[in-house]
Every structure is written in structure tokens, then in C-alpha cells.
Amino acid sequence: MTKRATTDRRPRRERGSLNPDDILDRAFELAEEISLDNLSMPLLGKHLGVGVTSIYWYFRKKDELLNAMTDRALQQYENAAPFIETDDWQDTLRNHARTMRKTFLSNPILCDLILIRGALSPRAAQVGAVMTEKVVANLVDAGMSIDDAVDTYSAVQLHTRGSVVLQRLYDKNKESGDEPGAYYEHLQIAPDTTPLLAEAGARGHHSGAPDDHNFEYGLDCILERAVRLIGAPPKKAAAKKAAAKKAPAKKAAAQPAAKATAAKKTTTARKTATPRRTRAAAGTE
């Protein structure tokens, strides 16, 4: 269950001793105790030992506070995410995805701010774009086209973040007591009705669950596809090559038709010329 806010007050602060960094520090501290959903400006004021109006001098509303918290959370995430290297892109991209997932799962507030809340300040949005640009640039240097690099990293992000969000929503529902579990826990699997799922489940496979096995399997599929993309010829060059192969075939198919047309014209010309010669001969006689 989510902890309720404590009513104990800290000693009153001296005037002028409050600053934005202190507010953010205490906001994260309080959010870890009572959850981000239950965080409020009045509760934060009590936690800081100041009147709520003192907070409003720095953050005029809760959304501004949450945006500032998101900026700080994104910095933490940026520092935690390992860099993707061109020479070893496959292993470093795999490590990047694993670390991203581990970081979010181990820090629910980070997950709630960046993935679930979803609202980014202009600064946070720019940081996220620059991080993505660096990854795409290294994948292009490794041999991918720009389109394939963007698609590959998008797939990694969606797979990783989707897995994290499903697990986080499951945890939030259990904490609140609203739901007893996730949908995949309530699937009616039995040997007589779903023998294949029952057999796989007995070996530890759970369809649709955001567990380690399913995460690693999906990540393997994405990276194997990416390896094939690097080994494949560029799409435009492949299309030109295919078109070049089709051209001789079309030309060869057109030749018999052209010959047949020419032969038909010759025959028609002969038939037309014969009566003319006959009439000319009759006139001579």
C-alpha cells in the first residue's frame, strides 16, 4: 500500500533559507514516501517546514514543480544510460536497453515522471532529442541507413519502455489495491483447453508478461533484425538492381511480339498489292 503523508512537521526554516534545489530535494524525498500521485504543494510545504506560499515564489503551480523534477530525473537517466559505440554497436545497444530498463524499474519516481506522466519541459525535450540523435548517428556509422537506424532505436525504446510501464502499472495497481493483478495472471490456461500454453508455462514461459525472459527474447529479435539490415544492400540500390534484372526480360518478351507485328504487316501488304497487279494486267489486254 502507498504510504500516507506524515503529519510531523520539520522545524520552521529561517527566512531566505529556501531555494529551488532544496524544494526539489524534498519533493523527491516526499514523493518516494507517498508516491508522485499523492504529492501536493501543501504537503510539500509541511515537509519543508514552510508555508505553501514560500514554494509558490519558485514554482507557481504543481506542473512547474513536476517539470523541474522531470528535468532532474532526465539528467539522472542520461548519466545512467551507457553510450552506444559504433565499433561494438550490438553489445552496447543491448547493454543500453538493459540499463534503461533496470534504471526505470529501480526508481519508480523516475519512471512516473519520464514515462507515465509524459510531459517534458522544453529543456528536457531537447536533451532527449540530442540523446536519440547520438544513438542514430552511431548506428549510421556502423553501416545502417538513416531510416533503419531510426527504426531500430525506436523499436528498442518502445520495447524497453513498454515493458517498464506494464510492470510499473502492475505495481501501482497492487499498491492501491484496485486490481489483484495483471491480465496475463488471469488467463485461463489448462492442459485440456490450452495445452501448448500450459506446457510452455510449466517451463517458465508467460505470454504477455513483462518479465526478464520476454524482455530478452524481444530484444534479441530486434538486434538480429538490425544485424541483417546492416548486411543487406541499401534499399535504393537493391531496387535499381531488381529493375535492371527485369529490363532484359521485358526486352526479350517484346522481341517476339515485334516480329509477329512486322510479319502481319508484310502479309497484309502482299494481299493488298495482288489485286492491283491483276487489274493492271486486265487493262493491258
Side-chain angles (χ1 to χ4, degrees), residues 43-214:
L43 289 176
L44 180 57
K46 291 180 180 179
H47 192 66
L48 282 161
V50 300
V52 69
T53 54
S54 298
I55 301 175
Y56 287 133
W57 278 103
Y58 301 96
F59 304 102
R60 291 174 295 179
K61 53 186 179 180
K62 183 180 177 181
D63 277 347
E64 288 189 5
L65 174 66
L66 293 177
N67 285 342
M69 293 176 69
T70 303
D71 285 350
R72 181 181 286 191
L74 198 59
Q75 287 179 354
Q76 179 181 345
Y77 165 71
E78 182 182 10
N79 293 332
F83 193 70
I84 296 172
E85 300 174 6
T86 301
D87 295 337
D88 193 18
W89 68 267
Q90 191 173 356
D91 286 340
T92 54
L93 182 56
R94 184 189 302 277
N95 188 35
H96 177 86
R98 286 173 174 170
T99 304
M100 190 193 315
R101 178 171 178 258
K102 182 179 179 181
T103 300
F104 282 127
L105 289 177
S106 63
N107 192 330
I109 304 302
L110 191 71
C111 177
D112 290 351
L113 285 169
I114 296 177
L115 300 187
I116 294 180
R117 179 171 177 262
L120 298 178
S121 69
R123 180 192 172 282
Q126 184 179 16
V127 170
V130 170
M131 289 175 61
T132 301
E133 176 76 11
K134 290 179 180 178
V135 175
V136 170
N138 282 353
L139 292 178
V140 169
D141 289 343
M144 289 188 189
S145 68
I146 296 176
D147 291 347
D148 289 340
V150 171
D151 290 345
T152 297
Y153 190 53
S154 294
V156 170
Q157 286 182 308
L158 288 171
H159 174 63
T160 304
R161 295 181 179 187
S163 173
V164 170
V165 169
L166 280 177
Q167 184 62 50
R168 178 59 184 147
L169 293 177
Y170 172 80
D171 293 340
K172 285 167 72 77
N173 287 335
K174 288 192 71 173
E175 290 171 0
S176 65
D178 292 340
E179 294 288 341
Y183 75 93
Y184 47 82
E185 292 184 327
H186 301 291
L187 294 176
Q188 299 296 319
I189 297 176
D192 55 337
T193 56
T194 55
L196 300 179
L197 289 177
E199 182 180 344
R203 293 198 293 269
H205 298 268
H206 303 289
S207 179
D211 55 23
D212 292 344
H213 171 80
N214 287 338

Side-chain angles (χ1 to χ4, degrees), residues 268-285:
T268 302
R270 287 175 180 175
K271 288 181 179 180
T272 304
T274 301
R276 289 178 179 174
R277 287 195 298 270
T278 304
R279 286 197 296 271
T284 302
E285 292 174 358

